[in-house]
């Protein structure tokens, strides 16, 4: 499943890069987001209802207990919108590969922060994986610098 998710994520990024840089398409980041958001809802909403059938009732109950829950959800939606728009802009101005490398670097940074703040344990295998990720990001940066 992890391999399939990684391949699907990479395919999505490559297709975004093609759509954003193609002379024939003339799509900008906002238009691409406008087209992709409804498709994501159509795919994710049924999956959510199957995997978490009571999520809507729980959310309504939480909103009744704490009216701030609606603000939290709206804030989450705004942040998700900004993340997607930023991803599209990074893809347009760099490349799909750069976006993937940045995503891997972000994951490694998140793990280091979680270790420092929350003292989360990490196995030796996990640590080796994160070190390999950081080395890959550094090597990619060096190759990009030299190619300019």
């Amino acid at each position: 499943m992890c391999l399939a998710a990684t391949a699907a994520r990479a395919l999505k990024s490559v297709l975004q890069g093609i759509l954003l840089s193609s002379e024939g398409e003339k799509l900008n980041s906002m238009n691409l987001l406008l087209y992709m958001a409804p498709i994501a809802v159509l795919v994710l909403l049924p999956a959510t209802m199957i995997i978490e059938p009571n999520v809507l009732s729980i959310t309504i109950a939480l909103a009744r207990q704490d009216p701030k829950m609606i603000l939290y959800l709206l804030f989450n939606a705004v942040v998700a919108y900004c993340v997607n728009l930023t991803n599209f802009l990074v893809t347009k101005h760099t490349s799909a590969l750069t976006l993937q490398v940045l995503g891997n670097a972000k994951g490694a940074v998140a793990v280091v922060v979680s270790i420092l703040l929350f003292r989360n344990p990490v196995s030796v295998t996990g640590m080796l994986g994160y070190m390999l990720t950081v080395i890959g990001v550094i090597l990619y940066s060096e190759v990009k610098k030299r190619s300019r």
Side-chain angles (χ1 to χ4, degrees):
M1 291 303 280
C2 184
L3 239 90
T6 302
R9 180 178 163 207
L11 177 64
K12 176 181 159 272
S13 294
V14 168
L15 290 175
Q16 286 172 356
I18 291 169
L19 289 172
L20 290 169
S21 64
S22 172
E23 288 297 320
E25 293 299 326
K26 299 290 185 197
L27 277 178
N28 61 30
S29 299
M30 290 293 290
N31 287 339
L32 186 57
L33 188 57
L34 177 70
Y35 292 126
M36 290 188 72
I39 295 169
V41 168
L42 288 176
V43 170
L44 294 175
L45 194 59
T48 301
M49 292 305 167
I50 291 168
I51 295 170
E52 301 181 64
N54 57 350
V55 70
L56 191 59
S57 60
I58 292 171
T59 305
I60 291 170
L62 286 172
R64 286 185 180 150
Q65 288 175 2
D66 185 6
K68 288 186 218 169
M69 179 58 107
I70 294 170
L71 291 175
Y72 298 149
L73 290 172
L74 287 173
F75 178 72
N76 185 34
V78 169
V79 170
Y81 168 82
C82 291
V83 165
N84 282 308
L85 187 60
T86 303
N87 282 343
F88 292 157
L89 289 169
V90 167
T91 302
K92 181 175 184 169
H93 295 290
T94 59
S95 70
L97 179 59
T98 300
L99 180 68
Q100 295 304 309
V101 171
L102 287 173
N104 291 336
K106 179 183 75 172
V109 169
V111 168
V112 169
V113 169
S114 77
I115 292 169
L116 294 175
L117 287 180
F118 305 116
R119 307 280 187 239
N120 290 339
V122 178
S123 67
V124 173
T125 307
M127 192 61 69
L128 289 173
Y130 296 124
M131 284 174 39
L132 185 63
T133 299
V134 170
I135 290 168
V137 170
I138 292 168
L139 289 174
Y140 178 77
S141 298
E142 287 301 315
V143 168
K144 285 289 270 190
K145 280 184 204 172
R146 289 182 185 172
S147 68
R148 292 181 191 172

